[in-house]
Amino acid sequence: MDKTVLSFHGIGKSFPGVQALQDISFSLHEGEVLALLGENGAGKSTLVKCLTGANVPDEGMIELFGKTYRSIDPITSRRCGVSAVYQEFNLVPELPIVENVFMGNNPGNGVIVDYPQMLRRSKEVFDSFGLDIDPTANVGTLSPAMMQIVEVAKAILLNVRLLILDEPTAPLTVKETEILFRIIRDLKAKGVAVIYISHRMEEIFEICDRAVIMRDGRKVGETLIRDTSRAELIRLMIGRELTSYYPEHESAAGDEVVLQVQGLCGNGVRDVSFRLHRGEILGVAGLVGAGRTELMTLLFCDAKRESGSVLLHGKEFCGRRPWHAIANGIAYLPEDRKRLGLLMDKSVAANTTLASIKKYCRFGVIDRKKELERIRGYCDALEIKTAGYDKEVQYLSGGNQQKVIVGKWLDTDSEIIIFDEPTRGIDVGTKHEIYAIIDRLADEGRSVLMVSSEFEELMGVADRILVMAEGTLVGSVEKPDFNKERLLDLASGSR
C-alpha cells in the first residue's frame, strides 16, 4: 500500500461571519495526484493555506509525513517539503529568473552565494522541461505562461515532496500544458504527492488519480477518477445537475456593422481586418502569444496604433487613451482582472461605479441613493454573492469579481464589450452564469468580442470565431463549421 504523506483530521476554520471549513478529513498518498475540486468559495484555498501555514485551523489535526500538528507554520511546511504554486505568482519582476527561483534558498556558505551553482541548477531544470530559458533574464520580460513554469521550477529546486498546483494551466498553451503534465508524471514517479486544483474537467481525467470534492466548506465526495464521470463531478461541485454546459443560443447578430477594423498594426499586431455586427458574439481564438490580448488593448486604446483604421458605426475612431474608448461605448474586461480590472482594496460599490461615477454627480456631489439603487440592481441581476456592497472585492470569489467588472461596464452603457479570458480560474457553475450573461448581452443588442484559450468554450458561446497566430489573423470560422481540430490547425499556423 502507498505510504500516506498527508492526512487532514476534522479540519475546521472560520472567519468573522463565515464558516470557511467544517470537518474536513481525507488523506494523500506518496506518488498520488489528487484533484481538489469545488466551486469558487468552496474552501479549497483556505484548506491549502492550512497546510502551507498561511491559515491556522480552529479545529482538527494535520498529519504530515508521519508527524501530527495542531497547526503548521510556513517554515515547518517548507522544511517538510511542501511547496505551492498559486494562481497569483509569487515572483519579483525586477529580479532575474535565477534569483527568483532560489529566493530564500540560496546555495553557498552562508556568507557568499554560489551564483554559478544557481545558474547551473536552474538551467538544468529548464532544460529538463525542454525549454530554452535564460536564467539571467528578468522575470518581468516573461509571458504569464513562462512565469508559471518558473514557479514550478522554484518548487522542484526546493526538493519538493508535496506539490500544490492551483489552476496551473490557466496561462499555458497546449504544448506548455503537455510539458507541465510530463513534469507532474516525473515527480509522481519519484514519489512526490500532488494536490491539483483546476476547473478544467478534461485535465482532471488526464492527470489525476483521485478526487476530493468540496462545497460550502465541507467535503461532499471522494472518488477514484476511473470510477466517476464529468457529469457526476459537476453535480457534486454545484449541488445540482447541469443539464446544459452552455446556454441555448440563437444568434442575435444583425446586419448592422458596429465595428470595422482595417489593416490594423501595432503592439505586435500585423494587418488585422474584421467586422463586428450588432448583437454578435465574435470569438477570438489562438494560442498564448498569438496577439489576441494585444489586439484587444489596441481596440481599447491602451496601446499605440501604428497604422490601419478603426470605424465605429461607419465613422473613423482615432482614440488614443482608454477613456476615449469608454466614451465611445467600448468596454474591456481584461485577462488579469485582479491587477487590471479591479481596485482590490475598494468595495463592490466603488468598483461597480468606477467608470461611470460622473453620472451620479451633480454640482460635485454624488447622489448616493441613486448610486446605491443602481449597484443593487446590478448585484441582483448578475447574482453577485457578497456580504455587502461595502465589502472589499478582494474577499469575493473569482467568479463574483468577474461579475463586478461586468456590472461596472454595464453601467457605462457600452455597446461593444471585450471579454478577455472571461472564465479563467472560475468554477464550472459560475462559468455557466458568465456564458448566460454574455448571451443576454448579445440578445440586448450589445456586441461582444470574446477572447479565450479554450476552443470548446468559444464553440459553445460564439456566433463566429476569428483565429490569430503570430500577431495576425489567419482565419475566420462560421458556426456551422466549428471544429476543434480545425481551430487548432489554424492557431498552429496551418491553413
mmCIF file of all heavy atoms in Angstrom, residues 92-129:
data_model
loop_
_atom_site.group_PDB
_atom_site.id
_atom_site.type_symbol
_atom_site.label_atom_id
_atom_site.label_comp_id
_atom_site.label_asym_id
_atom_site.label_seq_id
_atom_site.Cartn_x
_atom_site.Cartn_y
_atom_site.Cartn_z
ATOM 1 N N VAL A 92 9.282 38.267 -8.221
ATOM 2 C CA VAL A 92 9.676 39.680 -8.252
ATOM 3 C C VAL A 92 10.085 40.018 -9.683
ATOM 4 O O VAL A 92 11.152 39.579 -10.143
ATOM 5 C CB VAL A 92 10.836 39.960 -7.283
ATOM 6 C CG1 VAL A 92 11.193 41.448 -7.314
ATOM 7 C CG2 VAL A 92 10.490 39.521 -5.867
ATOM 8 N N PRO A 93 9.251 40.757 -10.421
ATOM 9 C CA PRO A 93 9.510 41.003 -11.842
ATOM 10 C C PRO A 93 10.846 41.685 -12.131
ATOM 11 O O PRO A 93 11.438 41.463 -13.189
ATOM 12 C CB PRO A 93 8.338 41.915 -12.247
ATOM 13 C CG PRO A 93 7.278 41.655 -11.232
ATOM 14 C CD PRO A 93 7.996 41.359 -9.957
ATOM 15 N N GLU A 94 11.317 42.505 -11.191
ATOM 16 C CA GLU A 94 12.548 43.272 -11.430
ATOM 17 C C GLU A 94 13.819 42.443 -11.263
ATOM 18 O O GLU A 94 14.909 42.902 -11.618
ATOM 19 C CB GLU A 94 12.609 44.471 -10.470
ATOM 20 C CG GLU A 94 11.520 45.516 -10.670
ATOM 21 C CD GLU A 94 10.183 45.100 -10.081
ATOM 22 O OE1 GLU A 94 10.169 44.171 -9.242
ATOM 23 O OE2 GLU A 94 9.156 45.695 -10.457
ATOM 24 N N LEU A 95 13.705 41.239 -10.705
ATOM 25 C CA LEU A 95 14.876 40.393 -10.461
ATOM 26 C C LEU A 95 15.025 39.327 -11.539
ATOM 27 O O LEU A 95 14.038 38.910 -12.158
ATOM 28 C CB LEU A 95 14.767 39.716 -9.098
ATOM 29 C CG LEU A 95 14.852 40.621 -7.867
ATOM 30 C CD1 LEU A 95 14.739 39.788 -6.583
ATOM 31 C CD2 LEU A 95 16.148 41.417 -7.860
ATOM 32 N N PRO A 96 16.257 38.841 -11.761
ATOM 33 C CA PRO A 96 16.472 37.764 -12.734
ATOM 34 C C PRO A 96 15.734 36.485 -12.339
ATOM 35 O O PRO A 96 15.442 36.261 -11.154
ATOM 36 C CB PRO A 96 17.989 37.549 -12.695
ATOM 37 C CG PRO A 96 18.551 38.807 -12.142
ATOM 38 C CD PRO A 96 17.529 39.336 -11.192
ATOM 39 N N ILE A 97 15.481 35.643 -13.323
ATOM 40 C CA ILE A 97 14.799 34.380 -13.083
ATOM 41 C C ILE A 97 15.537 33.559 -12.047
ATOM 42 O O ILE A 97 14.930 32.996 -11.132
ATOM 43 C CB ILE A 97 14.685 33.591 -14.411
ATOM 44 C CG1 ILE A 97 13.781 34.331 -15.397
ATOM 45 C CG2 ILE A 97 14.178 32.178 -14.167
ATOM 46 C CD1 ILE A 97 13.836 33.790 -16.806
ATOM 47 N N VAL A 98 16.865 33.482 -12.177
ATOM 48 C CA VAL A 98 17.660 32.639 -11.273
ATOM 49 C C VAL A 98 17.506 33.074 -9.822
ATOM 50 O O VAL A 98 17.429 32.236 -8.909
ATOM 51 C CB VAL A 98 19.147 32.632 -11.707
ATOM 52 C CG1 VAL A 98 19.759 34.032 -11.631
ATOM 53 C CG2 VAL A 98 19.946 31.653 -10.861
ATOM 54 N N GLU A 99 17.412 34.378 -9.572
ATOM 55 C CA GLU A 99 17.274 34.862 -8.200
ATOM 56 C C GLU A 99 15.868 34.609 -7.669
ATOM 57 O O GLU A 99 15.679 34.388 -6.466
ATOM 58 C CB GLU A 99 17.628 36.352 -8.137
ATOM 59 C CG GLU A 99 19.100 36.622 -8.418
ATOM 60 C CD GLU A 99 19.478 38.088 -8.262
ATOM 61 O OE1 GLU A 99 18.810 38.786 -7.465
ATOM 62 O OE2 GLU A 99 20.427 38.528 -8.917
ATOM 63 N N ASN A 100 14.889 34.628 -8.545
ATOM 64 C CA ASN A 100 13.538 34.276 -8.135
ATOM 65 C C ASN A 100 13.428 32.798 -7.791
ATOM 66 O O ASN A 100 12.807 32.413 -6.799
ATOM 67 C CB ASN A 100 12.542 34.610 -9.257
ATOM 68 C CG ASN A 100 12.058 36.044 -9.209
ATOM 69 O OD1 ASN A 100 11.125 36.368 -8.480
ATOM 70 N ND2 ASN A 100 12.711 36.921 -9.969
ATOM 71 N N VAL A 101 14.054 31.969 -8.601
ATOM 72 C CA VAL A 101 13.994 30.529 -8.402
ATOM 73 C C VAL A 101 14.617 30.124 -7.068
ATOM 74 O O VAL A 101 14.116 29.236 -6.374
ATOM 75 C CB VAL A 101 14.677 29.793 -9.577
ATOM 76 C CG1 VAL A 101 14.932 28.333 -9.235
ATOM 77 C CG2 VAL A 101 13.823 29.898 -10.839
ATOM 78 N N PHE A 102 15.710 30.783 -6.685
ATOM 79 C CA PHE A 102 16.430 30.415 -5.464
ATOM 80 C C PHE A 102 16.145 31.361 -4.293
ATOM 81 O O PHE A 102 16.853 31.320 -3.287
ATOM 82 C CB PHE A 102 17.941 30.375 -5.731
ATOM 83 C CG PHE A 102 18.394 29.131 -6.442
ATOM 84 C CD1 PHE A 102 18.533 29.123 -7.822
ATOM 85 C CD2 PHE A 102 18.659 27.975 -5.734
ATOM 86 C CE1 PHE A 102 18.941 27.977 -8.483
ATOM 87 C CE2 PHE A 102 19.074 26.826 -6.386
ATOM 88 C CZ PHE A 102 19.214 26.822 -7.764
ATOM 89 N N MET A 103 15.132 32.204 -4.413
ATOM 90 C CA MET A 103 14.843 33.157 -3.347
ATOM 91 C C MET A 103 14.579 32.435 -2.026
ATOM 92 O O MET A 103 13.710 31.576 -1.920
ATOM 93 C CB MET A 103 13.641 34.020 -3.724
ATOM 94 C CG MET A 103 13.418 35.193 -2.780
ATOM 95 S SD MET A 103 12.151 36.314 -3.422
ATOM 96 C CE MET A 103 12.931 36.962 -4.890
ATOM 97 N N GLY A 104 15.380 32.776 -1.004
ATOM 98 C CA GLY A 104 15.253 32.136 0.305
ATOM 99 C C GLY A 104 15.874 30.760 0.365
ATOM 100 O O GLY A 104 15.762 30.059 1.381
ATOM 101 N N ASN A 105 16.545 30.372 -0.718
ATOM 102 C CA ASN A 105 17.117 29.020 -0.787
ATOM 103 C C ASN A 105 18.481 29.067 -1.469
ATOM 104 O O ASN A 105 18.866 28.143 -2.192
ATOM 105 C CB ASN A 105 16.151 28.105 -1.564
ATOM 106 C CG ASN A 105 16.568 26.664 -1.577
ATOM 107 O OD1 ASN A 105 17.059 26.145 -0.576
ATOM 108 N ND2 ASN A 105 16.392 25.994 -2.707
ATOM 109 N N ASN A 106 19.202 30.172 -1.256
ATOM 110 C CA ASN A 106 20.454 30.387 -1.968
ATOM 111 C C ASN A 106 21.539 29.422 -1.507
ATOM 112 O O ASN A 106 21.822 29.316 -0.311
ATOM 113 C CB ASN A 106 20.959 31.819 -1.743
ATOM 114 C CG ASN A 106 20.032 32.852 -2.351
ATOM 115 O OD1 ASN A 106 19.354 32.575 -3.327
ATOM 116 N ND2 ASN A 106 20.001 34.039 -1.775
ATOM 117 N N PRO A 107 22.189 28.697 -2.436
ATOM 118 C CA PRO A 107 23.303 27.835 -2.064
ATOM 119 C C PRO A 107 24.550 28.671 -1.769
ATOM 120 O O PRO A 107 24.728 29.745 -2.332
ATOM 121 C CB PRO A 107 23.502 26.966 -3.304
ATOM 122 C CG PRO A 107 23.010 27.809 -4.436
ATOM 123 C CD PRO A 107 21.889 28.632 -3.878
ATOM 124 N N GLY A 108 25.404 28.189 -0.900
ATOM 125 C CA GLY A 108 26.618 28.909 -0.540
ATOM 126 C C GLY A 108 27.039 28.564 0.879
ATOM 127 O O GLY A 108 26.523 27.616 1.491
ATOM 128 N N ASN A 109 27.954 29.354 1.390
ATOM 129 C CA ASN A 109 28.473 29.070 2.734
ATOM 130 C C ASN A 109 27.846 29.937 3.823
ATOM 131 O O ASN A 109 28.344 30.002 4.936
ATOM 132 C CB ASN A 109 29.997 29.221 2.759
ATOM 133 C CG ASN A 109 30.451 30.628 2.367
ATOM 134 O OD1 ASN A 109 29.638 31.561 2.322
ATOM 135 N ND2 ASN A 109 31.734 30.792 2.080
ATOM 136 N N GLY A 110 26.753 30.598 3.477
ATOM 137 C CA GLY A 110 26.098 31.462 4.451
ATOM 138 C C GLY A 110 26.555 32.899 4.376
ATOM 139 O O GLY A 110 25.907 33.800 4.910
ATOM 140 N N VAL A 111 27.695 33.128 3.740
ATOM 141 C CA VAL A 111 28.232 34.480 3.569
ATOM 142 C C VAL A 111 28.259 34.841 2.083
ATOM 143 O O VAL A 111 27.809 35.896 1.676
ATOM 144 C CB VAL A 111 29.642 34.608 4.176
ATOM 145 C CG1 VAL A 111 30.200 36.019 3.939
ATOM 146 C CG2 VAL A 111 29.619 34.279 5.661
ATOM 147 N N ILE A 112 28.797 33.914 1.297
ATOM 148 C CA ILE A 112 28.908 34.126 -0.144
ATOM 149 C C ILE A 112 27.944 33.187 -0.864
ATOM 150 O O ILE A 112 27.929 31.978 -0.612
ATOM 151 C CB ILE A 112 30.353 33.867 -0.632
ATOM 152 C CG1 ILE A 112 31.314 34.830 0.075
ATOM 153 C CG2 ILE A 112 30.440 34.037 -2.146
ATOM 154 C CD1 ILE A 112 32.766 34.580 -0.252
ATOM 155 N N VAL A 113 27.150 33.753 -1.735
ATOM 156 C CA VAL A 113 26.196 32.962 -2.511
ATOM 157 C C VAL A 113 26.911 32.313 -3.694
ATOM 158 O O VAL A 113 27.705 32.957 -4.380
ATOM 159 C CB VAL A 113 25.042 33.860 -3.016
ATOM 160 C CG1 VAL A 113 24.146 33.083 -3.969
ATOM 161 C CG2 VAL A 113 24.239 34.405 -1.856
ATOM 162 N N ASP A 114 26.647 31.029 -3.902
ATOM 163 C CA ASP A 114 27.247 30.294 -5.020
ATOM 164 C C ASP A 114 26.419 30.546 -6.276
ATOM 165 O O ASP A 114 25.581 29.726 -6.676
ATOM 166 C CB ASP A 114 27.293 28.800 -4.681
ATOM 167 C CG ASP A 114 28.135 28.012 -5.686
ATOM 168 O OD1 ASP A 114 28.384 28.542 -6.786
ATOM 169 O OD2 ASP A 114 28.512 26.869 -5.367
ATOM 170 N N TYR A 115 26.659 31.691 -6.911
ATOM 171 C CA TYR A 115 25.861 32.089 -8.069
ATOM 172 C C TYR A 115 26.043 31.151 -9.255
ATOM 173 O O TYR A 115 25.059 30.808 -9.926
ATOM 174 C CB TYR A 115 26.214 33.525 -8.458
ATOM 175 C CG TYR A 115 25.107 34.242 -9.206
ATOM 176 C CD1 TYR A 115 24.002 34.747 -8.524
ATOM 177 C CD2 TYR A 115 25.152 34.411 -10.589
ATOM 178 C CE1 TYR A 115 22.977 35.406 -9.193
ATOM 179 C CE2 TYR A 115 24.137 35.065 -11.270
ATOM 180 C CZ TYR A 115 23.049 35.557 -10.561
ATOM 181 O OH TYR A 115 22.034 36.196 -11.238
ATOM 182 N N PRO A 116 27.277 30.697 -9.556
ATOM 183 C CA PRO A 116 27.437 29.750 -10.666
ATOM 184 C C PRO A 116 26.603 28.475 -10.476
ATOM 185 O O PRO A 116 26.038 27.946 -11.426
ATOM 186 C CB PRO A 116 28.941 29.438 -10.653
ATOM 187 C CG PRO A 116 29.560 30.668 -10.074
ATOM 188 C CD PRO A 116 28.583 31.122 -9.025
ATOM 189 N N GLN A 117 26.515 27.988 -9.217
ATOM 190 C CA GLN A 117 25.700 26.801 -8.962
ATOM 191 C C GLN A 117 24.225 27.103 -9.205
ATOM 192 O O GLN A 117 23.488 26.266 -9.752
ATOM 193 C CB GLN A 117 25.894 26.311 -7.518
ATOM 194 C CG GLN A 117 25.109 25.051 -7.220
ATOM 195 C CD GLN A 117 25.141 24.641 -5.756
ATOM 196 O OE1 GLN A 117 24.284 23.877 -5.308
ATOM 197 N NE2 GLN A 117 26.103 25.129 -4.990
ATOM 198 N N MET A 118 23.785 28.301 -8.804
ATOM 199 C CA MET A 118 22.398 28.699 -9.027
ATOM 200 C C MET A 118 22.076 28.701 -10.521
ATOM 201 O O MET A 118 21.036 28.190 -10.945
ATOM 202 C CB MET A 118 22.141 30.082 -8.428
ATOM 203 C CG MET A 118 22.142 30.116 -6.904
ATOM 204 S SD MET A 118 22.233 31.800 -6.226
ATOM 205 C CE MET A 118 20.780 32.557 -6.916
ATOM 206 N N LEU A 119 22.984 29.275 -11.322
ATOM 207 C CA LEU A 119 22.769 29.322 -12.765
ATOM 208 C C LEU A 119 22.733 27.916 -13.362
ATOM 209 O O LEU A 119 21.863 27.599 -14.178
ATOM 210 C CB LEU A 119 23.877 30.140 -13.437
ATOM 211 C CG LEU A 119 23.824 31.660 -13.258
ATOM 212 C CD1 LEU A 119 25.086 32.302 -13.800
ATOM 213 C CD2 LEU A 119 22.603 32.236 -13.975
ATOM 214 N N ARG A 120 23.674 27.081 -12.930
ATOM 215 C CA ARG A 120 23.760 25.726 -13.477
ATOM 216 C C ARG A 120 22.514 24.912 -13.141
ATOM 217 O O ARG A 120 21.925 24.274 -14.022
ATOM 218 C CB ARG A 120 25.010 25.035 -12.931
ATOM 219 C CG ARG A 120 25.144 23.566 -13.365
ATOM 220 C CD ARG A 120 26.422 22.949 -12.820
ATOM 221 N NE ARG A 120 26.539 23.080 -11.380
ATOM 222 C CZ ARG A 120 25.878 22.307 -10.502
ATOM 223 N NH1 ARG A 120 25.057 21.361 -10.923
ATOM 224 N NH2 ARG A 120 26.051 22.480 -9.200
ATOM 225 N N ARG A 121 22.101 24.946 -11.881
ATOM 226 C CA ARG A 121 20.959 24.128 -11.456
ATOM 227 C C ARG A 121 19.645 24.612 -12.083
ATOM 228 O O ARG A 121 18.796 23.810 -12.483
ATOM 229 C CB ARG A 121 20.859 24.131 -9.932
ATOM 230 C CG ARG A 121 21.953 23.337 -9.256
ATOM 231 C CD ARG A 121 21.885 23.448 -7.751
ATOM 232 N NE ARG A 121 20.623 22.913 -7.221
ATOM 233 C CZ ARG A 121 20.209 23.109 -5.973
ATOM 234 N NH1 ARG A 121 20.939 23.829 -5.131
ATOM 235 N NH2 ARG A 121 19.066 22.590 -5.566
ATOM 236 N N SER A 122 19.483 25.928 -12.174
ATOM 237 C CA SER A 122 18.258 26.442 -12.790
ATOM 238 C C SER A 122 18.216 26.105 -14.276
ATOM 239 O O SER A 122 17.170 25.732 -14.822
ATOM 240 C CB SER A 122 18.122 27.953 -12.570
ATOM 241 O OG SER A 122 19.249 28.639 -13.067
ATOM 242 N N LYS A 123 19.369 26.195 -14.954
ATOM 243 C CA LYS A 123 19.436 25.841 -16.377
ATOM 244 C C LYS A 123 19.126 24.362 -16.573
ATOM 245 O O LYS A 123 18.412 23.978 -17.522
ATOM 246 C CB LYS A 123 20.839 26.160 -16.926
ATOM 247 C CG LYS A 123 20.952 26.056 -18.446
ATOM 248 C CD LYS A 123 20.216 27.205 -19.108
ATOM 249 C CE LYS A 123 20.536 27.313 -20.587
ATOM 250 N NZ LYS A 123 20.075 26.161 -21.379
ATOM 251 N N GLU A 124 19.626 23.501 -15.664
ATOM 252 C CA GLU A 124 19.356 22.062 -15.759
ATOM 253 C C GLU A 124 17.859 21.776 -15.654
ATOM 254 O O GLU A 124 17.328 20.932 -16.384
ATOM 255 C CB GLU A 124 20.117 21.316 -14.654
ATOM 256 C CG GLU A 124 21.613 21.208 -14.889
ATOM 257 C CD GLU A 124 22.337 20.614 -13.691
ATOM 258 O OE1 GLU A 124 21.681 20.401 -12.634
ATOM 259 O OE2 GLU A 124 23.558 20.379 -13.797
ATOM 260 N N VAL A 125 17.182 22.480 -14.749
ATOM 261 C CA VAL A 125 15.742 22.261 -14.581
ATOM 262 C C VAL A 125 14.994 22.682 -15.835
ATOM 263 O O VAL A 125 14.134 21.945 -16.338
ATOM 264 C CB VAL A 125 15.208 23.022 -13.347
ATOM 265 C CG1 VAL A 125 13.684 22.972 -13.318
ATOM 266 C CG2 VAL A 125 15.759 22.421 -12.075
ATOM 267 N N PHE A 126 15.309 23.866 -16.369
ATOM 268 C CA PHE A 126 14.610 24.331 -17.570
ATOM 269 C C PHE A 126 14.914 23.434 -18.772
ATOM 270 O O PHE A 126 14.029 23.182 -19.602
ATOM 271 C CB PHE A 126 14.980 25.784 -17.880
ATOM 272 C CG PHE A 126 14.481 26.761 -16.855
ATOM 273 C CD1 PHE A 126 15.330 27.708 -16.289
ATOM 274 C CD2 PHE A 126 13.165 26.736 -16.437
ATOM 275 C CE1 PHE A 126 14.866 28.599 -15.341
ATOM 276 C CE2 PHE A 126 12.693 27.622 -15.486
ATOM 277 C CZ PHE A 126 13.547 28.563 -14.934
ATOM 278 N N ASP A 127 16.148 22.947 -18.860
ATOM 279 C CA ASP A 127 16.493 22.018 -19.943
ATOM 280 C C ASP A 127 15.686 20.736 -19.825
ATOM 281 O O ASP A 127 15.249 20.171 -20.835
ATOM 282 C CB ASP A 127 17.990 21.699 -19.914
ATOM 283 C CG ASP A 127 18.854 22.858 -20.399
ATOM 284 O OD1 ASP A 127 18.293 23.797 -21.000
ATOM 285 O OD2 ASP A 127 20.077 22.832 -20.169
ATOM 286 N N SER A 128 15.484 20.278 -18.589
ATOM 287 C CA SER A 128 14.696 19.057 -18.385
ATOM 288 C C SER A 128 13.242 19.268 -18.804
ATOM 289 O O SER A 128 12.542 18.318 -19.132
ATOM 290 C CB SER A 128 14.766 18.609 -16.919
ATOM 291 O OG SER A 128 14.011 19.469 -16.079
ATOM 292 N N PHE A 129 12.789 20.526 -18.785
ATOM 293 C CA PHE A 129 11.440 20.849 -19.249
ATOM 294 C C PHE A 129 11.368 20.925 -20.773
ATOM 295 O O PHE A 129 10.286 21.010 -21.346
ATOM 296 C CB PHE A 129 10.981 22.204 -18.695
ATOM 297 C CG PHE A 129 10.812 22.266 -17.211
ATOM 298 C CD1 PHE A 129 10.568 23.485 -16.584
ATOM 299 C CD2 PHE A 129 10.893 21.129 -16.420
ATOM 300 C CE1 PHE A 129 10.393 23.562 -15.209
ATOM 301 C CE2 PHE A 129 10.728 21.198 -15.047
ATOM 302 C CZ PHE A 129 10.489 22.418 -14.442
#
